[in-house]
Each structure stands twice: as structure tokens, then as C-alpha cells.
Amino acid sequence: MNSTVRFPLEDPLYKAGQAAAEMLQARDRNFSLPQPFYNDEQLFALDMQNIFEKEWLFAGMTCEIPKKGCFLTVNVGDNSVVVVRGEEDSIRAFHNVCRHRGSRLCSKASGKVAKLVCPYHQWTYELDGKLLFAGTDMGSDFDMSAYGLKPVHVRTHGGFIFICLADEPPALDDFGDALSEYVGPHGMDNVKVVAESDIIEKANWKLVIENNRECYHCNGAHPELLNSLYQFDDTEDPRATPEYKQVVERKQNDWESEGVPWRLQRFGQQNRITRTPLVEGTVSMTPDGQQGVGQLMGRLTSPDMGSLRILHLPNSWNHVMGDHAVVFRVIPIGPQETRVTTKWLVNADNQEGVDYDPETLRKVWDATNDQDRQLAEENQRGINSLAYEPGPYSETFEFGIIDFLDWYSQRMLSNLQGLEPELKLANAQ
Ligand code: FES
Ligand SMILES: [Fe+2]
């Protein structure tokens, strides 16, 4: 599908790719990355090509496009993608690019349409991407069937929509199946988004993920979050206290008897799912730790479901609780700029103002996101200094970052090797 010929001037990127591969091969896995990985334009372009254009990305929730013709758009670097619900509830994704002269089709973040109509010269596409109308002047031998929208791989699992821009997407099934199973009791086919935040962090996307992968900073930074969140989510965690282990055992027995999945599952270093209790006496990440929504999610009968933590690299972490869920999407914008979108979801049967107050519901994570933004931005500023050199991670507190960077390095090295023939071909022209 990708017939784009790379322009020869991309040669410097090939050299940057070789340099990046050498640095990744030479790195110490217990140390942060060399400076260019966090602030260099070319390294950023390589991240976009080799991670964000190759991996499955969390795009949004199926409940955001509830009816035929509803769409949402996601901008992955230069690539705008439209995800649309069509006939018989099918969800498809396309490059948001008109096949006439390339205009973007949908400029809004979301909306509802009967057909996808290009705003430039009104070429019109069916919701399955087929070109329906191309004016009257294209000539009698114009082959409409050759100008459908270019598809993007899309999968849905448990209400989560994933897209992949690669020609051949990597495997997602094992994680996707587990995700569907674990969120099953939360009834993700009957939820609605009741609050949303979109913040721009002036930091490289890897710093945003690194910050999320450790709670070493939580004590000093997150008073609101620590009201309900333990700093660890696994009894094997070296920091897990005997009290935590007891709470876990008790809660896991409760969940087991309700048929609610909880066991930690890892899918390589890329995906991780586990249900962990919230701090004793709390059941939700609300300001007072109490249930913040009248009707619980799905088939649940108790709000005390802890937090189902779902990690999907490179761009999502999530907390699914008894009364609501908070989902997070990370999209890089530039070497030192990242968009973090947070959405709060509740059972769709709840009424605003009666069963929940969106302003109360969002308080804890609004505060936490802003604290994390400041930490990531300060981290970025320091890294930009002449004085920065890779520093050591704590294996006790920061093993999550070590895992993330192992995954990142492995994917980069593997995909960078695939970059070589394409650029060599471009150079030969
Ligand atoms: S660019 Fe879309 S109709 Fe012309
Ligand atoms: Fe944090």
C-alpha cells in the first residue's frame, strides 16, 4: 500500500538512523538514554517512522463513535487518520487524505457524516472508503474503483480502538483478547465519555511515558492520587508491604467469587494488565476516594473493584474501576512536545447532575496530569543542558522504565534495519 518514494534528501535521516542504532546497541539498559533521543529533530523523525508508524496505537473508544457515520480523527505526526463507524456497526480507519489532490477530508476531531465529502472539490466517499462521486469532469475512462480511501489497520478490543499505519501490523491478538476479557465485567459496550482533557506537555514523548512507568516520584508529587492509589500493583514488587499483600489476597478472593479477572498478565514488555486494590477504605480515584457515579459499570455489584491497570506501549495507560474508567492517549507532536488526552467514562445509564458530577470525577487526574506535566517539562529542560548525561535507574523503583526502554530499543533496532533498503533505493535515483 505504501508506494511513496522517499525523497533523496532524506539521506541525513539514514545517517541519523545508523547513529541511533549504534547508540542503542551501546547503551546501558539501567541508564537513561543519550540526550538526542529526548530532544533531536532527526531522532524524533526516526521515532515517528519506526515506532508510531509501525506499532498499534490506542486511538480512542468505540463509544465515541456510537452510530453509523460517527467519526474521530487522530493525527500521528504528518499522518491524519479517520476512524469511522459504517454499516452493520463495522469500524474502519482510513488515511484522512482525499485521493483527488490530497486534501484532508475531515478537519474536526470528531463528528457525524452521511458520507465522507472532501471540502476542496467535493469528491465523496462511502463510509467503507469507496469513491462514490468525483464530479463530472474526470473523463469517461476514469476508474472510480482505483481511487478509494487508503485503509489503515484497525482493531477494537473491549471498547478500545487501536490503529496501525504499518503495511504489515505486528501481532495484537493475545493482548487484545485479554483486554476484552478483563474489561468484560465493566460493560464497555454501554459507556459514555463524560469528561475529556487534552494537555500539551513540553517534553519528549518518552519522558511522558518514563514518568508514567514509575511511582518513585509519587510521594513528592501526587497527594490527590495517593489518597486512593498504591505505589505498586503487584505482590512481587520489591516494595510491596505485608499489609498490601493481605489486602490483595482478600480482594482477589472477592473478585474471584464475582468472576472478575485480576491476575497480572504481561505480553512481552509492551502490554501489561492487572487488577490491583485501591488503598483500604477507598473504592475510586475521586477526591474523597468514594464511589463517584450512581450506577456501576457493566454487571458489577460492588464498587470495590480496585483499579484494572492496562498498559499499552507506546501510547496508553488506563485505570478501569468499579464506578468509572480513565483512559489515556499519548501522541507525540515534536521532539519536545507531546499531547496527552485523558477521558473519563461511566456507565451510559447515568445522568449528569443526578448520578455524577463530571467536575468532581475529573479532579484527581486533572491534578495528577498537571503535576506530571510539570515533572516531565522540568526533566526535559535539564536534559537539554550541556551537563546532562544518562543517569542510573533504580531497579527497585524504576524497573517499569527499564522495561519500556528495552522494548523501545528492541523495536527501534528491529525497524531501523528495515529502513535501510528503502533509503538506499532513494539514494540510487
Ligand atoms: S482534493 Fe479532495 S476533491 Fe479535490
Ligand atoms: Fe506521576
Side-chain angles (χ1 to χ4, degrees), residues 90-230:
S90 57
I91 289 181
R92 294 187 178 84
F94 302 101
H95 285 277
N96 187 15
V97 176
C98 180
R99 293 297 309 278
H100 176 217
R101 280 167 48 205
S103 172
R104 277 201 313 173
L105 290 167
C106 306
S107 54
K108 292 193 185 142
S110 62
K112 186 167 185 289
V113 291
K115 312 278 181 216
L116 293 160
V117 182
C118 179
Y120 204 171
H121 315 94
Q122 287 72 52
W123 279 30
T124 301
Y125 302 85
E126 191 45 271
L127 300 176
D128 64 3
K130 198 167 67 192
L131 178 62
L132 286 178
F133 171 77
T136 50
D137 305 324
M138 299 309 295
S140 55
D141 58 350
F142 178 66
D143 181 5
M144 301 269 282
S145 68
Y147 292 93
L149 296 178
K150 290 191 175 182
V152 170
H153 297 283
V154 63
R155 297 267 176 82
T156 63
H157 291 282
F160 290 73
I161 304 171
F162 298 92
I163 57 170
C164 180
L165 290 162
D167 292 346
E168 300 287 337
L172 184 72
D173 290 348
D174 289 351
F175 165 64
D177 291 347
L179 175 58
S180 301
E181 180 196 344
Y182 275 61
V183 299
H186 297 261
M188 302 300 280
D189 49 358
N190 184 41
V191 290
K192 59 181 177 183
V193 174
V194 297
E196 178 168 344
S197 102
D198 209 27
I199 61 172
I200 305 294
E201 304 194 12
K202 298 278 188 199
N204 184 272
W205 70 275
K206 294 188 289 299
L207 295 178
V208 174
I209 298 291
E210 286 189 25
N211 177 65
N212 172 264
R213 293 293 78 219
E214 53 93 354
C215 217
Y216 193 8
H217 68 271
C218 290
N219 260 334
H222 296 319
E224 297 85 355
L225 187 64
L226 287 188
N227 186 41
S228 56
L229 183 99
Y230 284 116

Side-chain angles (χ1 to χ4, degrees), residues 288-301:
D288 63 2
Q290 302 310 306
Q291 183 175 341
V293 183
Q295 302 191 56
L296 297 175
M297 302 191 82
R299 65 167 174 80
L300 301 174
T301 53

